[in-house]
Amino acid sequence: MSTTTHHDQPASLPTRLFNLADHEARARDRLDASAWAYYSGGAADEITLRANRAAWDALALRPRVLRPLAGLSLASQLLGQALPCPLLVAPMAHQRLAHPDGELATAVAAAAVGAGLVLSQQSSHPLEAVAAHCLADPERGPFWFQLHALGERGWLRELIARAEAAGVEALVLTVDAPLNGVRDRERRAGFALPAGLATPHLPPASASSLDGLLAQAPSWDDVAWLQANSRLPLLLKGVTHPLDAAQACALGVAGLIVSNHGGRVLDTMPASATLLPEVAAVVAGRCALLVDGGIRRGTDVLKALALGADAVLIGRPVLHGLASAGAAGVAHVLRLLQDELAAAMALCGLRNLSEIDPSCLQSPRDIRT
């Protein structure tokens, strides 16, 4: 398998790409079967993967009319930083499988449209290079770094110091994937990482046995250690149970990301949209709250904010845009979501994000009556 699995990339955005599904279809045509299986597949029977999408579809919007709309804005604040729009790119591994520029293209595109970026620890490019491609843009969103494999603490201190020096503004610890899910689609396709694909942020000796992986699984002690050993805010990604949310808030974490890992880890988990309200009720504004999983339309973003999220993370659609047309494709995917969100807000009588609340959604009681 070669180090890239794409066809030659166009210099500009192709025509007739009108929504995220169009980018997905183009990406499927351009990626080889194994890379497509790695990016698009879920765990086991992919029940959770399908549920993520279906749950957003099942929510109905409840618009208001004849309200003032002039000056409609997608801007807000997140962790004390200006947030031009409530979109961040989710941490996704090995983006050079989709395009030779990988995370560099994603960083440029996200910054150009004001979206935030969470760089995966399994990035194909060093975090310093990615930072150089986004931090200089005055209109950019937040730049965060994900930790997944913690490794030996001396090495981890060095990685955190690198992140701080590079300009990273928060750390995101993924807590729901101590090992990979049972990914049948990936195995049937014979997926393997290409030889020589760079992984500049992984520990020098990663465990491969089940016992080794479980011994290295992050714990609440690791959360406390990270808080004590970095000046950066810490968010936990993959918190879905109210009891875990309560414990995280008690420790004073900066934020939580409600996520079932895109349906890639534990199959038959509930959809992110189903899990979000219970976590939001526990958090009750004590920390930032974000969500990912199955978001494909601006209306989905509005629904997520109505359920209590401060912002959303976009995963696979960004990879589709990257495979479809490089940086231009990523920017187009994010801009489509922004434009659709603005349209949905206007059509629901909403002028800014602070006006979005549960009353924007049709409740089960509304449906019965």
Side-chain angles (χ1 to χ4, degrees), residues 338-354:
Q338 291 173 352
D339 290 348
E340 290 183 3
L341 173 59
M345 288 173 59
L347 293 169
C348 286
L350 302 163
R351 185 162 50 181
N352 54 62
L353 301 189
S354 66

Side-chain angles (χ1 to χ4, degrees), residues 34-94:
S34 64
W36 177 254
Y38 173 70
Y39 282 146
S40 63
D45 298 310
E46 301 186 345
I47 293 167
T48 298
L49 177 67
R50 293 189 296 273
N52 273 348
R53 176 69 239 135
W56 297 116
D57 284 342
L59 292 168
L61 292 170
R62 191 80 182 269
R64 298 287 304 278
V65 298
L66 300 175
R67 292 160 68 96
L69 298 175
L72 188 148
S73 173
L74 305 185
S76 62
Q77 295 277 322
L78 186 63
L79 301 186
Q81 182 179 352
L83 187 68
C85 70
L87 306 178
L88 292 88
V89 174
M92 293 173 289
H94 312 305

Side-chain angles (χ1 to χ4, degrees), residues 90-92 118-122 145-150 171-180 183 216-219 222-223 226 234-239 257 259-261 265 292 313:
M92 293 173 289
V118 186
L119 180 66
S120 171
Q121 188 179 6
Q122 294 174 285
F145 183 64
Q146 176 226 27
L147 295 171
H148 182 73
L150 295 183
L171 297 176
V172 177
L173 177 64
T174 292
V175 297
D176 65 336
L179 67 165
N180 285 338
R183 300 176 189 165
Q216 293 182 7
S219 67
D222 291 312
V223 172
L226 287 168
L234 178 65
L235 297 92
L236 305 184
K237 181 178 184 292
V239 173
I257 302 172
S259 171
N260 55 35
H261 220 96
V265 176
D292 69 10
L313 282 78

Side-chain angles (χ1 to χ4, degrees), residues 10-14 17 23 99 105 108-109 321-322 324-334:
S12 60
L13 189 69
L17 295 173
H23 278 283
H99 187 279
V108 168
L322 185 62
S324 171
V330 174
H332 191 234
V333 162
L334 295 170

Side-chain angles (χ1 to χ4, degrees), residues 13-361:
L13 189 69
T15 59
R16 306 198 66 76
L17 295 173
F18 301 113
N19 56 36
L20 271 57
D22 291 338
H23 278 283
E24 181 176 1
R26 181 172 170 80
R28 185 165 193 168
D29 288 341
R30 298 177 68 77
L31 292 170
D32 71 24
S34 64
W36 177 254
Y38 173 70
Y39 282 146
S40 63
D45 298 310
E46 301 186 345
I47 293 167
T48 298
L49 177 67
R50 293 189 296 273
N52 273 348
R53 176 69 239 135
W56 297 116
D57 284 342
L59 292 168
L61 292 170
R62 191 80 182 269
R64 298 287 304 278
V65 298
L66 300 175
R67 292 160 68 96
L69 298 175
L72 188 148
S73 173
L74 305 185
S76 62
Q77 295 277 322
L78 186 63
L79 301 186
Q81 182 179 352
L83 187 68
C85 70
L87 306 178
L88 292 88
V89 174
M92 293 173 289
H94 312 305
Q95 293 183 30
R96 286 195 66 199
L97 293 173
H99 187 279
D101 292 337
E103 294 83 3
L104 301 183
T106 301
V108 168
V113 298
L117 173 65
V118 186
L119 180 66
S120 171
Q121 188 179 6
Q122 294 174 285
S123 166
S124 308
H125 293 279
L127 64 91
E128 294 86 353
V130 178
H133 280 70
C134 68
L135 290 182
D137 194 319
E139 303 300 322
R140 68 176 178 87
F143 177 50
W144 300 347
F145 183 64
Q146 176 226 27
L147 295 171
H148 182 73
L150 295 183
E152 187 269 328
R153 284 187 171 176
W155 174 88
L156 183 57
R157 282 193 186 95
E158 293 179 3
L159 180 61
I160 293 170
R162 281 179 60 191
E164 292 176 348
V168 167
E169 293 157 329
L171 297 176
V172 177
L173 177 64
T174 292
V175 297
D176 65 336
L179 67 165
N180 285 338
V182 179
R183 300 176 189 165
D184 294 344
R185 196 195 316 191
E186 204 174 292
R187 293 188 294 174
R188 288 193 185 99
F191 174 78
L193 287 175
L197 186 69
T199 52
H201 311 120
L202 293 184
S206 297
S208 56
S209 69
L210 178 60
D211 285 344
L213 288 169
L214 296 180
Q216 293 182 7
S219 67
W220 290 109
D221 287 342
D222 291 312
V223 172
W225 185 90
L226 287 168
Q227 290 176 302
N229 284 270
S230 174
R231 59 179 176 79
L232 299 176
L234 178 65
L235 297 92
L236 305 184
K237 181 178 184 292
V239 173
T240 59
H241 198 289
L243 293 178
D244 292 332
Q247 187 163 354
C249 288
L251 286 175
V253 300
L256 301 179
I257 302 172
V258 175
S259 171
N260 55 35
H261 220 96
R264 291 170 61 80
V265 176
L266 177 63
D267 200 21
T268 74
M269 279 188 69
S272 295
T274 303
L275 295 163
L276 176 58
E278 282 191 336
V279 176
V282 169
V283 168
R286 288 183 286 172
C287 68
L289 186 60
L290 297 87
V291 67
D292 69 10
I295 293 169
R296 297 294 184 272
R297 287 283 188 181
T299 46
D300 301 335
V301 179
L302 196 161
K303 293 170 186 179
L305 302 181
L307 291 175
D310 298 304
V312 305
L313 282 78
I314 307 301
R316 288 182 178 94
V318 168
L319 293 174
H320 299 155
L322 185 62
S324 171
V330 174
H332 191 234
V333 162
L334 295 170
R335 184 55 188 267
L336 283 169
L337 285 171
Q338 291 173 352
D339 290 348
E340 290 183 3
L341 173 59
M345 288 173 59
L347 293 169
C348 286
L350 302 163
R351 185 162 50 181
N352 54 62
L353 301 189
S354 66
E355 296 178 351
I356 302 175
D357 62 26
S359 70
C360 299
L361 301 175

